[in-house]
Amino acid sequence: MAENGAATNNQAQAGRHQEVGHKSLLQSDALYQYILETSVYPREPEAMKELREITAKHPWNIMTTSADEGQFLSLLLKLINAKNTMEIGVYTGYSLLATALALPPDGKILAMDINRENYELGLPVIQKAGVAHKIDFREGPALPVLDEMIADGKFHGTFDFIFVDADKDNYLNYHRRLIDLVKIGGVIGYDNTLWNGSVVAPPDAPLRKYVRYYRDFVLELNKALAADPRIEICQLPVGDGITLCRRLS
């Protein structure tokens, strides 16, 4: 009887953070749960908790930023005194809300995503939090917008922070443009740079189709960022891996 009870308890523990568990590269679910319950959830703003729970019910919830990464981004933005930011890939807006809450009252976020419907799922929460005025949302591909900004000339070196969590096959295309738009000393964050841990998986490893498809693009990005003399980098095992790039020149 005790063994059955222990098994049931273990199953319950394993599913406690199911909505974000796929984002953790920690080998121990219990350790990740400890981080969430001790340091993340108790300090998570109510609006972010509400949006996280809404997003968890969405069929594409695997795309969301994890709660621990949201907390990390919030603190990072405050540490660098970010005011003018950009986000490529919004989904329902969890990381966008974290950014908006972290920025000063006159802070601005240029947010781009190809799906307005997903963004509007989280928009009521963002509005209720009183930070919607900081967000300039553009529906559609980001690359044409970036090209227009570069051609315009007045946006060069104007962004304090840029967060990219979008189509992995375009990450390098984004980087080639964003390096001109972020200011010297500013930071670009690329999400999913450890890509479900698949970056170290053997060639014949049984991977989900989308993981296998994008893995080579992530590997190419990681190699390029490590060799780029214009930036200094730090790759962190937070969420699904995030690489921070500070522009040097």
Side-chain angles (χ1 to χ4, degrees), residues 12 37 72 115 121 123 127 138 143 147 176 221 228-229:
E37 293 186 355
F72 169 74
N115 192 318
L121 185 65
L123 185 56
Q127 291 171 332
R138 311 276 185 91
L143 288 175
D147 286 337
R176 294 185 184 106
L221 171 78
D228 191 338

Side-chain angles (χ1 to χ4, degrees), residues 121-179:
L121 185 65
L123 185 56
V125 180
I126 294 172
Q127 291 171 332
K128 187 167 64 173
V131 292
H133 67 281
K134 300 180 185 180
I135 300 168
D136 175 12
F137 179 81
R138 311 276 185 91
E139 182 181 20
L143 288 175
V145 178
L146 299 179
D147 286 337
E148 289 176 10
M149 295 174 73
I150 291 171
D152 187 287
K154 67 181 181 182
F155 296 100
H156 285 239
T158 59
F159 287 89
D160 304 310
F161 179 77
I162 301 171
F163 183 58
V164 184
D165 183 11
D167 42 335
K168 316 308 169 195
D169 45 341
N170 269 319
Y171 267 29
L172 267 180
N173 290 325
Y174 292 136
H175 185 68
R176 294 185 184 106
R177 293 158 173 83
L178 297 179
I179 197 68

Side-chain angles (χ1 to χ4, degrees), residues 102-246:
L103 294 184
D106 59 343
K108 298 295 180 184
I109 313 164
L110 172 60
M112 292 176 277
D113 198 288
I114 60 172
N115 192 318
R116 178 179 289 273
E117 184 178 347
N118 289 337
Y119 167 65
E120 290 182 344
L121 185 65
L123 185 56
V125 180
I126 294 172
Q127 291 171 332
K128 187 167 64 173
V131 292
H133 67 281
K134 300 180 185 180
I135 300 168
D136 175 12
F137 179 81
R138 311 276 185 91
E139 182 181 20
L143 288 175
V145 178
L146 299 179
D147 286 337
E148 289 176 10
M149 295 174 73
I150 291 171
D152 187 287
K154 67 181 181 182
F155 296 100
H156 285 239
T158 59
F159 287 89
D160 304 310
F161 179 77
I162 301 171
F163 183 58
V164 184
D165 183 11
D167 42 335
K168 316 308 169 195
D169 45 341
N170 269 319
Y171 267 29
L172 267 180
N173 290 325
Y174 292 136
H175 185 68
R176 294 185 184 106
R177 293 158 173 83
L178 297 179
I179 197 68
D180 290 328
L181 297 174
V182 70
K183 71 179 185 181
I184 293 177
V187 176
I188 307 171
Y190 291 102
D191 201 19
N192 305 112
T193 58
L194 294 177
W195 200 228
N196 289 248
S198 67
V199 290
V200 294
D204 58 347
L207 302 174
R208 284 171 288 182
K209 186 176 180 180
Y210 83 94
V211 173
R212 180 175 296 281
Y213 175 76
Y214 288 112
R215 177 177 61 172
D216 287 346
F217 294 107
V218 174
L219 288 169
E220 184 183 15
L221 171 78
N222 291 340
K223 185 177 180 179
L225 294 181
D228 191 338
R230 300 168 298 178
I231 56 175
E232 56 183 345
I233 68 172
C234 179
Q235 189 172 30
L236 300 170
V238 176
D240 191 30
I242 180 172
T243 299
L244 301 180
C245 309
R246 180 175 176 268

Side-chain angles (χ1 to χ4, degrees), residues 25-125:
L25 293 168
L26 294 175
Q27 293 183 357
S28 166
D29 276 354
L31 184 55
Y32 184 53
Q33 190 68 34
Y34 173 83
I35 293 171
L36 291 176
E37 293 186 355
T38 305
S39 301
V40 180
Y41 291 159
R43 306 301 294 268
E44 184 181 35
E46 191 60 34
M48 290 182 64
K49 177 183 178 182
E50 182 180 355
L51 183 50
R52 176 168 56 82
E53 291 176 345
I54 290 171
T55 305
K57 299 173 184 175
H58 192 273
W60 300 344
N61 61 33
I62 194 172
M63 293 168 54
T64 192
T65 300
S66 61
D68 55 324
E69 187 173 0
Q71 184 185 61
F72 169 74
L73 291 173
S74 176
L75 184 58
L76 174 64
L77 287 160
K78 294 173 184 176
L79 288 171
I80 66 174
N81 296 312
K83 185 174 180 180
N84 188 38
T85 73
M86 182 192 304
E87 182 160 333
I88 300 176
V90 172
Y91 186 41
T92 61
Y94 186 80
S95 57
L96 183 62
L97 178 56
T99 300
L101 289 170
L103 294 184
D106 59 343
K108 298 295 180 184
I109 313 164
L110 172 60
M112 292 176 277
D113 198 288
I114 60 172
N115 192 318
R116 178 179 289 273
E117 184 178 347
N118 289 337
Y119 167 65
E120 290 182 344
L121 185 65
L123 185 56
V125 180

